[in-house]
Amino acid sequence: DIQMTQSPSTLSASVGDTVTITCRASQNINRWLAWYQQKPGHVPRLLIYQTSTFEPGVPSRFSGRGSETEFTLTISSLQPNDFATYYCQQYQDYPWTFGQGTRVEI
Amino acid sequence: QVQLVQAGGGVVQPGGGQRLSCVASGFNFLTYGPHWVRQAPGKGLEWVAFLSSDGTTEFYADSVKGRFTISRGTSSDTVYLNMNNLRTDDTAVYFCATLISPDVWGQGTTVAVS
């Protein structure tokens, strides 16, 4: 199975900051990587798929990059609504796997 | 309105079984290849199962393989997750979802094995 490792586990930031979350795959997943946002008590929300393609309605301050085994999600000009937990997920091979999550907190 | 509505869940004893259902409206859920995802209390997301759009191929997480079965109903809008031989570490909120794009999730249903 492909293991997904996110770093950091927790990230402290302020409104207006630019933050970057890293996701590493245990083997080459090409660009088959998605990012989700989840707020407490809410259903996850897809932000980006295929490494850098936006789901409709996602603000342009989110951006995704990477290939093969290393990927990043960058949030520019952090907004109060962005404080949440973020998960990467590979869909190169089954079983699909998620990273352990990165909590972005104030 | 595009949505997935889940039913089932509750408290079950270890070794018992449960069936979760997921009914789609406003779109053909099965076309996208439905998934189940779970989240244990205070933990991250765990992908659980997938059913291909033609219903012929299934994939499972290693943690549930041989115990859980994903299936489709007789209508094209319902997917089930049959769970047998439940363990305490299966306690979680279970979501049905399309995953990737389009992004549609059920509201989640809690299964507590105790």
Side-chain angles (χ1 to χ4, degrees):
Chain A
D1 299 358
I2 299 174
Q3 308 302 317
M4 306 300 293
T5 304
Q6 288 182 234
S7 60
S9 297
T10 306
L11 194 160
S12 296
S14 301
V15 173
D17 286 353
T18 293
V19 299
T20 296
I21 300 167
T22 298
C23 179
R24 290 185 173 88
S26 61
Q27 63 189 72
N28 184 358
I29 60 169
N30 296 293
R31 291 174 56 86
W32 302 113
L33 184 100
W35 290 97
Y36 295 83
Q37 176 194 66
Q38 187 181 31
K39 298 177 183 178
H42 285 75
V43 171
R45 172 196 181 192
L46 176 68
L47 299 175
I48 287 171
Y49 62 97
Q50 206 166 335
T51 297
S52 59
T53 302
F54 289 101
E55 182 69 359
V58 173
S60 58
R61 63 180 180 273
F62 291 89
S63 62
R65 298 185 64 180
S67 64
E68 298 189 0
T69 62
E70 186 148 339
F71 302 85
T72 59
L73 173 71
T74 297
I75 313 172
S76 303
S77 187
L78 206 61
Q79 297 300 299
N81 199 36
D82 299 335
F83 291 95
T85 299
Y86 294 84
Y87 297 91
C88 63
Q89 180 230 319
Q90 68 80 19
Y91 54 108
Q92 161 74 29
D93 284 328
Y94 285 101
W96 290 9
T97 42
F98 288 91
Q100 80 278 16
T102 295
R103 182 183 174 195
V104 177
E105 61 180 25
I106 299 173
Chain B
Q1 182 183 1
V2 171
Q3 63 177 357
L4 296 171
V5 178
Q6 298 181 224
V11 180
V12 60
Q13 292 186 341
Q18 277 273 337
R19 187 174 84 161
L20 307 181
S21 65
C22 177
V23 179
S25 59
F27 76 115
N28 188 337
F29 184 29
L30 296 178
T31 298
Y32 296 97
H35 298 259
W36 289 92
V37 174
R38 69 183 181 183
Q39 187 166 35
K43 302 297 184 182
L45 301 172
E46 180 185 15
W47 177 87
V48 173
F50 161 80
L51 180 64
S52 64
S53 57
D54 62 4
T56 62
T57 303
E58 304 161 28
F59 291 103
Y60 297 94
D62 293 343
S63 58
V64 307
K65 200 174 297 182
R67 300 186 300 121
F68 289 14
T69 303
I70 186 171
S71 62
R72 55 200 294 174
T74 53
S75 64
S76 62
D77 60 359
T78 303
V79 174
Y80 299 101
L81 185 67
N82 288 280
M83 305 181 292
N84 293 316
N85 193 18
L86 283 162
R87 311 186 304 219
T88 55
D89 62 358
D90 294 317
T91 294
V93 175
Y94 286 75
F95 300 98
C96 57
T98 52
L99 293 186
I100 311 307
S101 189
D103 180 41
V104 186
W105 292 70
Q107 80 277 18
T109 184
T110 299
V111 174
V113 185
S114 175

